[in-house]
Amino acid sequence: MAFSGTATYVATRELSMAVNAAVQLQKPLLIKGEPGTGKTLLAYEIAQSLGKPLYTWHVKSTTSAQQGLYEYDAVSRLRDSQLGDGSNRVGDLAHYIRKGKLWQAFESEEQAVLLIDEIDKADIEFPNDLLLELDRMEFYCYELQQTIKARHRPIVIITSNNEKELPDAFLRRCFFHFIRFPDRETMEQIVGVHYPDLPQELMTKAMSVFYSIRDVRALKKKPSTSELIDWIRLLLVAGVTHDDLNDLDALNELPPYLGALLKNEQDTDLMTALRRKGGRPY
C-alpha cells in the first residue's frame, strides 16, 4: 500500500515519495514547512488512506518525553492506601499506570500511525529523550519491571515549525521532508477540493489577490493555505464575485474580509498604505 493523497488532501509527488520512503525505511518522517501547509493534517490523511488507526501526541512547552511513554500516578495510589480501599488494586501497580501515546501505538493490534505534533515546542532535550524508543521501538517500565515492545512498528509522523534546532542525533534517525508553499496550480487543486463548484473566474481573481499579497516582502506574516480557504468561504457566503473584486481593485480599495488573510495590525496598515499610494499589491 502506498500513499498518494486522498480525496480531501492534495499531496504533491515529492510529499508522497517522502511518506512512502519513510514507511519503507521504517524511519520517522520529520515534516517541516510554513504554518498552514497541512503538516499536522498529513498524519490524519495517511491513516485514512492506508486504513490504519491514528494516535496523536500534541506537544506543548511543558511536555516531557516520559509522558509519551507512561505516567505513574503515585498520588492516587497513596490516597487509596490511606483511605483503606478494600479492593486489591492498591497492590496492583498496573492500575496506576497511565499509558502514553507511544505505549498505545506500540500495543495496537495492527500497524498504527503515530503523530508527534510540533516537537520543537518542547525542551531541547525532548527529541534526544526519545532516541532509543523511536529507534528500537521499545522502552522499559520500571514500576512493572517490564519491557514494552511494539507489536507492529508504527508509521511515525513528526512535525516541526522550526522554532528551535533539533539535535543531529535525532535528525539522523529521521527521513526529512520540507513542505514547500504550494504553487498556483497546486493551490487551485487544493481549493478545488474544498470548493468544487467555485466559479473559475472567482478562483482566478482570488488566486491573484492571494499571491500578490504574499509577494509583499515587508509582510510580518504571510497568509497561509488554511487562511486562503477561510477567505474564499467568506467570499462565497457573502456572494462576492470576481467583478466585485475587480471593482474594488479599480477603486484602490482593500478586498473584503481581509482579516481572514492578515493577522496583525502592521500588515493591515501596510496594505492600506500601499493602496492609498496607488500601489498594486494585487
Side-chain angles (χ1 to χ4, degrees), residues 57 59-60 63-68 116 119-120 122-131 167 170:
W57 184 15
V59 178
K60 301 179 181 179
T63 301
S64 68
Q66 181 64 35
Q67 291 172 321
I116 304 177
I119 193 172
D120 53 326
D123 183 83
I124 188 62
E125 291 302 322
F126 180 91
N128 281 334
D129 291 340
L130 291 176
L131 289 179
F170 177 80

Side-chain angles (χ1 to χ4, degrees), residues 142-156:
Y142 292 93
E143 289 75 11
L144 301 181
Q145 298 184 9
Q146 178 183 354
T147 297
I148 309 301
K149 296 184 178 182
R151 295 181 180 179
H152 308 279
R153 192 179 189 96
I155 300 171
V156 182

